[in-house]
């Protein structure tokens, strides 16, 4: 092991192992970086104009953000969305049509509150529509548009089970190709006759990138293998020299006899 060539081979193996270890560390850092939660100030009320624009997708950073928006509610465009859970209890949301005036103009669905039964939700919606038309300011949580759902065969074909903007613009009266926000707001303050919608902050989950962790372990194994390979080569050389020495000794014994 102390012969110059094996010392140089050891230095080479250590260099290769160090390179593999650095690659493993880089992969591990990548896994940790991707698992870091990006904190968003979702509970800070921001103007809608700073969060979303009409006719555009809802960005991840905007999802769950509390916003403030001013506009005019359109009478007669309030619809009932069924199957909405409030603290685990199924009920109904009256969802109104707000034409935004303090940001880029566009239609914006606003969930006014929650009711435990259809009759209470419809009464609240009718009462709200009767007073709609004046400019109003809404504070609530901005959420992305949901996908429309087809009612069951025996259900009302016009029943809504999701807040789907693509479906709402088809039932809003006289709505043409005007801009629309592809998201909706759950109002913090419920309309008269409704309960406040339970809309907690979005959960921030952390998931470690196990593929990067696996690669990091692989590089560590490669680093160990580089050292093991050097040791194996030295051992094989020692065994060859030992066998050669034994063979030479046996030959010498035979000749002397």
């Amino acid at each position: 092991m102390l012969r110059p060539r094996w010392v140089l081979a050891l230095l080479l193996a250590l260099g290769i192992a160090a390179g593999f270890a650095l690659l493993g560390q880089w992969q591990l850092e990548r896994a940790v970086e991707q698992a870091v939660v990006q904190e968003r100030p979702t509970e800070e009320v921001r103007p809608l104009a700073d969060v979303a624009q009409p006719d555009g997708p809802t960005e991840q950073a905007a999802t769950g953000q509390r916003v403030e928006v001013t506009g005019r509610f359109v009478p007669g465009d309030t619809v009932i969305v069924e199957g909405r859970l409030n603290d685990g209890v199924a009920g109904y949301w009256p969802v109104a049509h707000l034409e935004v005036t303090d940001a880029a103009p566009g239609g914006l669905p606003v969930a006014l509150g929650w009711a435990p039964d259809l009759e209470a939700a419809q009464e609240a919606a009718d009462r709200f529509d009767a007073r709609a038309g004046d400019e109003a300011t809404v504070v609530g949580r901005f959420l992305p548009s949901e996908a429309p759902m087809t009612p069951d065969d025996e259900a009302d074909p016009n029943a809504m089970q999701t807040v789907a903007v693509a479906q709402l613009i088809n039932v809003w009266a006289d709505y043409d190709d005007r801009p629309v926000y592809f998201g909706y707001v759950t109002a913090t303050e419920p309309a008269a006759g409704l309960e406040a919608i339970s809309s907690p902050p979005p959960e921030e989950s952390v998931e470690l990138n196990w593929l990067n962790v696996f690669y990091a372990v692989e590089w560590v194994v490669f680093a160990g293998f580089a050292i093991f390979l050097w040791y194996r080569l030295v051992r094989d050389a020692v065994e060859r020299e030992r066998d050669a020495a034994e063979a030479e000794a046996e030959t010498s014994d035979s000749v002397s006899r």
Side-chain angles (χ1 to χ4, degrees):
M1 290 183 178
L2 298 178
R3 292 176 183 175
R5 64 170 181 170
W6 292 118
V7 171
L8 291 175
L10 176 60
L11 293 176
L12 177 61
L14 290 175
I16 294 174
F20 288 159
L22 289 174
L23 288 171
Q25 182 182 6
W26 175 74
Q27 289 285 1
L28 194 58
E29 289 176 352
R30 288 270 298 173
V32 173
E33 285 176 2
Q34 294 179 7
V36 172
V37 176
Q38 299 294 331
E39 294 185 1
R40 296 187 289 120
T42 56
E43 302 313 290
E44 174 188 341
V45 178
R46 299 174 57 191
L48 179 65
D50 296 345
V51 174
Q53 296 294 323
D55 292 339
T58 300
E59 298 180 357
Q60 182 65 31
T63 300
Q65 178 65 49
R66 296 191 69 212
V67 299
E68 182 179 71
V69 58
T70 300
R72 288 184 172 84
F73 284 103
V74 180
D77 279 356
T78 303
V79 300
I80 305 299
V81 179
E82 61 183 32
R84 310 309 293 191
L85 296 179
N86 218 46
D87 294 329
V89 181
Y92 300 82
W93 282 1
V95 178
H97 169 198
L98 179 73
E99 279 295 321
V100 177
T101 57
D102 68 337
L108 175 69
V110 176
L112 302 175
W114 179 87
D117 56 77
L118 179 59
E119 182 179 357
Q122 191 62 60
E123 289 179 358
D126 294 341
R127 189 183 307 113
F128 180 84
D129 277 345
R131 300 176 181 178
D134 296 333
E135 194 169 72
T137 298
V138 177
V139 175
R141 197 175 298 281
F142 184 76
L143 298 168
S145 174
E146 300 171 351
M149 292 180 60
T150 303
D152 297 333
D153 294 337
E154 299 178 356
D156 181 1
N158 296 319
M160 289 192 180
Q161 297 174 303
T162 59
V163 186
V165 174
Q167 187 176 10
L168 288 171
I169 60 177
N170 289 324
V171 299
W172 287 347
D174 301 325
Y175 202 85
D176 47 24
D177 292 332
R178 286 172 290 168
V180 64
Y181 286 84
F182 283 93
Y184 65 96
V185 172
T186 55
T188 302
E189 293 294 330
L194 299 173
E195 298 180 25
I197 295 174
S198 177
S199 185
E203 294 183 358
E204 296 177 337
S205 60
V206 180
E207 185 175 349
L208 198 64
N209 191 322
W210 289 106
L211 183 61
N212 288 101
V213 174
F214 173 75
Y215 288 151
V217 173
E218 272 193 337
W219 287 120
V220 172
V221 172
F222 292 158
F225 180 75
I227 304 299
F228 172 77
L229 181 62
W230 171 84
Y231 165 76
R232 187 65 189 181
L233 290 174
V234 174
R235 180 179 174 181
D236 290 346
V238 171
E239 290 178 351
R240 283 196 302 270
E241 291 184 5
R242 184 180 299 157
D243 292 342
E246 290 177 355
E248 184 179 353
E250 290 177 359
T251 302
S252 299
D253 291 342
S254 299
V255 171
S256 62
R257 289 175 186 174

